[in-house]
Amino acid sequence: MLVLKFGGTSVGKPERMRKIANLVTETPGKKVVVLSALSGTTNALVTIGDFLLKGDLDAAEKEITVLEKHYQAFVSELYTSENFKAIGQEIVSRFFIFIRLLAAGHPDSYRDDDKSYRELLAQGELISTELFYQHLLERKINTRLLPALHFMSIDENEEPELEKIAQRLKPLLKSLEHVDIIITQGYICRNHKNEIDNLKRGGSDYTASLLGAAIGAEEIQIWTDIDGMHNNDPRIVQKTYPISELTFDEASELAYFGAKILHPSTIVPAQKYNVPVRLKNTMDENAPGTLISNKETKSVFKAVAAKDGITAINIKSSRMLMAYGFLRRVFEIFEQYKTPIDMISTSEVAVSLTIDQAANLDKIVDELRTFSHVEIDPNQTIVSIVGHRIGNQKGVLDKIFSCLAEVPVRMVSVGGSYNNISILVDTQYKEQVLVQLNAGVFNLA
Ligand code: ASP
Ligand code: MG
């Protein structure tokens, strides 16, 4: 079984949706197709939810009307027969009746952690999969919808319950044995209260990986609008190229440290069950894309990724000198406020570390100040250079730093992982760093 996931832009226009229908039917074997919402829909639903949160029903209704019109036009173009056009319009009006019903709820029910808000966000994937399902039916393809809300779940810490997901999928897939193309929703799931929830923005990739791991798929294919993971950020650097092969570890680091093509948790379940992940381009099906597996390929410099919005915290204390237990105290504070630390670098009397979730920064700093001197640097960027055993090879550091001679580097992390060297710079230097690394390390000027 193959798992094929298509993102918002791959289904965002009627002709694109038709194109992926071709692609899916031409791919041999049985497959599960995971779809995102049409591009722009989840953003629109967030906007609607935020207006409702503020109690601004008029503004919400305006957005709902715009979105509804978009879907009406989409449907009238997607289907060819009058019969299916009517089915499509029925689906759209059913969804928008429900969205207005949700909107009519009390504003208090739209707090960020609330049920109605999350239910609203789920409508994008629910409608895209229904429309695609009807499109395949119109083409007389042997297909079924498998609701993600019947098997995808997260626990009280918002962690996917992979074992349970696998258990639930067994009988469901058995009952669909005779079906060629099974369609399901990305992103949405149930939480420990059995309410509708989601796997966070961009979470459809994660759905595909969880699903592929749970059913022991042959391969998980993530179809987007770029021909794989690139060696550098193509939005910033002119010459970049797709990397043909990466290990799970290398791809994880790149996704976590800023490669926008993948949701950062995607690789975890695939790696655990050793299911290869292939990144493919809907606009150029024949491009080889990127294959992520446990196979190592030897190039030392594979890719560079950058993650913005980082805060650096420097913690200095004379009590750290020749003492033990100091770092434990520091880490406990971050743990208490559920704030992950990305980079860390220590000297005898000071430690610098970085976080990307600054929501509890003030409280963290207050507690740190009870026993140390604290300085904060906001607006930092982590640039990660990833490659095969890059962390312990001769000449690597020299090559990296000789092209960054003009850049003040705030922190460096080497040796934590064999396949990653990370540096921290003020965000104003990010572009310069990416461009100079592209020239100096990848010889792409
Ligand atoms: N539709 C969701 C989002 O826009 C999930 C996804 O596309 O992966 O974040
Ligand atoms: Mg995405």
Side-chain angles (χ1 to χ4, degrees), residues 1-64:
M1 187 94 96
L2 285 178
V3 175
L4 311 181
K5 179 261 167 178
F6 296 90
T9 44
S10 306
V11 289
K13 298 223 169 78
E15 70 268 21
R16 296 248 170 96
M17 199 180 254
R18 278 199 288 269
K19 190 167 173 198
I20 67 157
N22 295 340
L23 210 151
V24 167
T25 44
E26 283 157 15
T27 306
K30 283 193 186 300
K31 51 241 130 178
V32 184
V33 174
V34 176
L35 295 189
S36 295
L38 310 194
S39 53
T41 298
T42 312
N43 284 343
L45 294 170
V46 167
T47 308
I48 293 165
D50 290 344
F51 280 134
L52 294 172
L53 194 60
K54 287 189 265 171
D56 193 344
L57 277 157
D58 289 345
E61 175 52 39
K62 267 195 202 122
E63 288 289 328
I64 295 173

Side-chain angles (χ1 to χ4, degrees), residues 397-442:
L397 290 176
D398 179 48
K399 198 154 184 185
I400 292 172
F401 288 105
S402 61
C403 54
L404 300 181
E406 304 302 316
V407 179
V409 174
R410 166 79 174 71
M411 271 170 80
V412 183
S413 176
V414 190
S417 139
Y418 281 136
N419 49 41
N420 176 358
I421 292 173
S422 293
I423 61 173
L424 186 76
V425 293
D426 192 292
T427 301
Q428 62 172 306
Y429 296 105
K430 168 180 145 179
E431 194 174 326
Q432 185 183 348
V433 169
L434 293 183
V435 169
Q436 286 174 349
L437 285 174
N438 220 41
V441 169
F442 295 98

